Amino acid sequence: MIETPAPAARSEETRQKILDTAARLFRRLGYRSTTLRAIAREAGMEAGSIYYHFRSKDEILAEVFDLGITLVFDAVKRAVSGVGPEKPWRDRVRAAIKAHLDAFFVHGDYTSTNIRIFGQAPQAVQERAMALRGAYENYWKTLLAQAQRAGEIRADVDLKILRLFLFGAMNWTVEWFKPGGVSLTRLADTYTAYVFDGVDAGRAPAAQPSRTRARRA
Amino acid sequence: MIETPAPAARSEETRQKILDTAARLFRRLGYRSTTLRAIAREAGMEAGSIYYHFRSKDEILAEVFDLGITLVFDAVKRAVSGVGPEKPWRDRVRAAIKAHLDAFFVHGDYTSTNIRIFGQAPQAVQERAMALRGAYENYWKTLLAQAQRAGEIRADVDLKILRLFLFGAMNWTVEWFKPGGVSLTRLADTYTAYVFDGVDAGRAPAAQPSRTRARRA
DNA sequence: CCTACCGATCGGTAGG
DNA sequence: CCTACCGATCGGTAGG
């Protein structure tokens, strides 16, 4: 019953293995230090064979970039649309934050490569990825704008600054998050609470299910 | 009256020019794509001459890292200690945020190199920079802990998470900030307000000198 | 600080 | 998908 996969499927599998390996090496070593020979070795083939699947090193990088953005974007859209229409916008923002963070660690090599080495990619590769990046940013712009229009974000908040503030906080987690400590769900809850409520002691602590603390004066 | 600088000073000047050039290229191109030949060219000398001033490419990178951290650290310490003792801790945090952001753009190539390509540096170089990085992180840890002990940050806030949250937001500015738009002072004020007060519409807007808005219900 | 050079390695290709 | 190879370029060094 177990058969050899059809040639097309087999090839697609190898292609995917090359991308996975490349993403992992790009993330750790950067663009130039990642050599096609190293990718080939870890993917179990010879260097020249990569050109059977890709036209150039830049094309591999470009696909890693695209896949990284797409995986995050899709996960975020799915999470947000899963929040009931009667729920406040804060819940949708929280779902988006959680999905964004989750995607970092399910597809960590792709997303980290995006964050870490986008700036050092050849310009042609950057330009190709810009469209997808822009679409993802626009999604967040709209999400935050709706929350503001609904009155859940103060009208004096500059949404562009807020979005970049939040993106920074989220994207930085690729530099320090390790599984085993704080969970991603808890981290997403915490970040959401920081953004909406702040950490000031003169305010009520963020609503969190399992622990309520006395408030100061 | 204008004399040729003493040989020692001249050499120090060249050394500095090499570091400045290297930092700029490291930031833009990454570690491996930045070649000693390119550094030499833009610093106005031949590739071999760099070895009169540095022992290796790695040593240049290590010095760029160290300088980047030191410049930010010193600026932050200076800014914080300039806040009057009667002032609330929030003012010290705000001063630290502003100094951290300012340093990014006064010494942008050094600090951006630190943020962008630390992960792709050879391990020996990373290890050397760890001590300074740790010292800077500890400084922030202490600062936030004092604010919490003074009751200005809620007792239930995890300071490690808060620090990483804030570092992410601050460090991400190297990816998007361009002079001419929002000022760094305003950005630091805004980030401080976000962290302490949040953006929720059910709360008072962050205290800002020139504009007070009506508060919602 | 320069000239001239070395060994190593790279991205990519031809031909199978 | 492999073998064998090319031209280019790299970090680093010797000798001045």
Side-chain angles (χ1 to χ4, degrees):
Chain A
M1 281 311 188
I2 295 171
E3 298 177 22
T4 307
R10 185 83 172 76
S11 177
E12 186 49 46
E13 208 175 283
T14 302
R15 201 183 145 80
Q16 193 58 50
K17 192 189 291 179
I18 292 171
L19 285 173
D20 287 351
T21 307
R24 181 159 37 85
L25 294 178
F26 280 137
R27 172 189 191 167
R28 198 191 329 160
L29 304 172
Y31 170 65
R32 193 75 171 244
S33 298
T34 297
T35 67
L36 291 172
R37 282 162 173 84
I39 295 172
R41 190 187 333 117
E42 301 207 13
M45 66 187 66
E46 295 303 315
S49 307
I50 288 184
Y51 288 85
Y52 178 78
H53 300 277
F54 297 91
R55 261 173 306 173
S56 67
K57 183 181 182 181
D58 283 5
E59 192 189 308
I60 299 178
L61 180 60
E63 289 210 24
V64 169
F65 280 158
D66 281 0
L67 210 47
I69 302 166
T70 303
L71 290 166
V72 177
F73 196 176
D74 288 352
V76 168
K77 273 189 287 198
R78 206 177 318 120
V80 169
S81 65
V83 175
E86 79 287 359
K87 296 290 181 63
W89 285 93
R90 181 194 286 228
D91 286 2
R92 271 173 219 99
V93 172
R94 188 194 342 255
I97 291 175
K98 173 155 167 38
H100 187 99
L101 295 181
D102 278 346
F104 278 3
F105 301 99
V106 179
H107 311 288
D109 293 328
Y110 288 90
T111 48
S112 295
T113 293
N114 251 287
I115 293 170
R116 280 189 168 185
I117 77 169
F118 187 79
Q120 60 191 260
Q123 206 179 351
V125 177
Q126 288 192 22
E127 279 164 8
R128 171 174 154 182
M130 284 298 191
L132 263 175
R133 289 199 155 215
Y136 185 50
E137 279 169 25
N138 278 330
Y139 182 86
W140 275 89
K141 263 184 212 167
T142 304
L143 179 64
L144 295 175
Q146 286 169 312
Q148 190 175 48
R149 195 155 356 104
E152 293 186 38
I153 291 175
R154 284 198 317 275
D156 68 321
V157 168
D158 182 327
L159 292 186
K160 189 189 165 198
I161 301 285
L162 174 60
R163 181 174 51 82
L164 291 164
F165 176 82
L166 184 54
F167 263 55
M170 292 193 296
N171 290 349
W172 191 246
T173 59
V174 307
E175 303 293 341
W176 61 268
F177 181 84
K178 297 277 185 302
V182 60
S183 76
L184 285 172
T185 301
R186 186 163 175 74
L187 197 59
D189 287 349
T190 303
Y191 278 21
T192 307
Y194 285 177
V195 165
F196 278 93
D197 303 322
V199 301
D200 190 284
R203 294 153 191 281
Q208 276 188 0
S210 55
R211 48 170 194 166
T212 316
R213 303 186 105 271
R215 119 172 43 175
R216 290 193 151 256
Chain B
M1 282 309 187
I2 294 172
E3 299 177 18
T4 307
R10 186 86 172 75
S11 178
E12 185 50 45
E13 207 175 284
T14 304
R15 201 183 145 80
Q16 194 60 49
K17 192 190 291 180
I18 292 171
L19 285 173
D20 286 353
T21 307
R24 180 158 39 83
L25 294 178
F26 279 136
R27 172 187 192 170
R28 197 190 331 158
L29 304 173
Y31 170 64
R32 193 76 170 242
S33 297
T34 297
T35 66
L36 292 172
R37 282 163 171 83
I39 296 172
R41 190 188 332 117
E42 301 207 13
M45 67 187 67
E46 295 304 315
S49 308
I50 287 185
Y51 289 86
Y52 178 78
H53 299 279
F54 297 91
R55 261 173 307 173
S56 68
K57 183 181 182 181
D58 283 6
E59 193 189 307
I60 299 178
L61 180 61
E63 289 209 27
V64 168
F65 279 158
D66 282 359
L67 210 48
I69 303 168
T70 303
L71 290 166
V72 177
F73 197 176
D74 288 352
V76 168
K77 274 189 286 197
R78 207 177 318 120
V80 169
S81 64
V83 176
E86 79 289 356
K87 296 289 181 66
W89 285 94
R90 181 194 286 227
D91 286 2
R92 271 172 219 100
V93 172
R94 187 195 341 251
I97 290 174
K98 172 151 167 41
H100 187 98
L101 295 182
D102 278 347
F104 278 4
F105 301 99
V106 179
H107 312 287
D109 293 327
Y110 288 91
T111 50
S112 294
T113 294
N114 251 290
I115 292 169
R116 281 189 168 186
I117 77 168
F118 187 79
Q120 60 190 260
Q123 207 180 350
V125 178
Q126 288 192 22
E127 280 165 8
R128 171 174 154 181
M130 282 300 188
L132 262 175
R133 290 199 154 214
Y136 185 50
E137 279 169 23
N138 278 330
Y139 182 86
W140 275 88
K141 263 183 213 171
T142 304
L143 179 65
L144 295 175
Q146 286 168 312
Q148 191 175 47
R149 194 156 356 103
E152 293 187 39
I153 293 175
R154 284 198 317 276
D156 68 321
V157 168
D158 183 326
L159 293 186
K160 189 187 163 198
I161 301 285
L162 174 60
R163 180 173 51 83
L164 290 164
F165 176 83
L166 184 55
F167 262 55
M170 290 192 297
N171 290 350
W172 192 247
T173 58
V174 308
E175 303 293 340
W176 61 268
F177 182 85
K178 297 276 185 302
V182 59
S183 76
L184 284 172
T185 300
R186 184 163 175 77
L187 197 60
D189 287 349
T190 303
Y191 278 21
T192 307
Y194 285 177
V195 165
F196 278 93
D197 303 322
V199 300
D200 188 285
R203 295 152 190 284
Q208 275 187 1
S210 55
R211 46 171 195 164
T212 315
R213 301 185 106 272
R215 123 173 37 179
R216 289 191 151 257

